[in-house]
């Protein structure tokens, strides 16, 4: 099972993230689920931290301008010579949606109007993917 976890840049309830990852580990086991994150925001780093602490398989679709790292899904060549461009923020989610079975979205009602990217991304999730919002 490939499980995507998306977080709003204003999401701060790290306990809910940890609880979800613990539930995934308990339900699927360490090697039957892969945690997939778009990487690069503060809460995405928490997803990465708990997934790795619980020794779950972890990959990320970090934006091209951030460079290749140990957990990057894309090949090293994808990142070479890339400068920041807004389209990269959207592209990483598009690629993520092509590689997941289920998505959990951590967002905050309080800051929804200040995170237009997450609102736009949610509209691009294909209907075939099971989606669960966590507030």
């Amino acid at each position: 099972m490939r499980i995507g976890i998306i977080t709003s840049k204003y999401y701060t309830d790290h306990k809910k993230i940890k609880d979800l990852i613990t539930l995934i580990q308990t339900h699927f086991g360490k090697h039957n689920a892969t945690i997939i994150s778009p990487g690069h925001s503060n809460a995405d780093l928490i997803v990465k931290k708990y997934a790795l602490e619980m020794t779950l398989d972890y990959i990320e679709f970090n934006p091209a301008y951030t460079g290749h790292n140990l957990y990057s899904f894309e090949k090293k060549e994808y990142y070479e010579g890339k400068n920041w461009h807004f389209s990269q923020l959207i592209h990483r989610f598009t690629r993520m949606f092509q590689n997941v079975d289920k998505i959990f979205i951590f967002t905050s009602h309080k800051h929804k109007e200040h995170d237009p990217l997450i609102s736009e991304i949610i509209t691009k999730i294909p209907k075939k993917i099971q989606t669960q919002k966590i507030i």
Side-chain angles (χ1 to χ4, degrees), residues 71-89:
Y71 305 103
S72 296
F73 178 83
E74 304 291 355
K75 294 179 179 171
K76 190 174 183 178
E77 296 80 33
Y78 172 81
Y79 300 93
E80 290 178 355
K82 300 283 175 64
N83 294 321
W84 184 91
H85 190 273
F86 181 75
S87 65
Q88 295 172 13
L89 302 178

Side-chain angles (χ1 to χ4, degrees), residues 7-72:
T7 61
S8 163
K9 68 180 176 180
Y10 297 106
Y11 193 79
T12 58
D13 190 348
H14 299 170
K15 183 178 179 337
K16 284 187 180 180
I17 293 171
K18 183 178 182 180
D19 291 346
L20 173 65
I21 293 173
T22 301
L23 183 65
I24 291 168
Q25 181 190 36
T26 302
H27 186 72
F28 292 106
K30 290 185 179 190
H31 303 293
N32 295 323
T34 299
I35 303 297
I36 300 174
S37 169
H40 205 60
S41 78
N42 291 337
D44 290 333
L45 295 174
I46 297 303
V47 171
K48 181 178 187 175
K49 174 186 185 291
Y50 290 129
L52 294 175
E53 278 181 6
M54 295 180 201
T55 63
L56 290 167
D57 293 333
Y58 173 83
I59 58 175
E60 64 187 26
F61 286 90
N62 53 311
Y65 68 90
T66 62
H68 188 267
N69 68 52
L70 182 63
Y71 305 103
S72 296

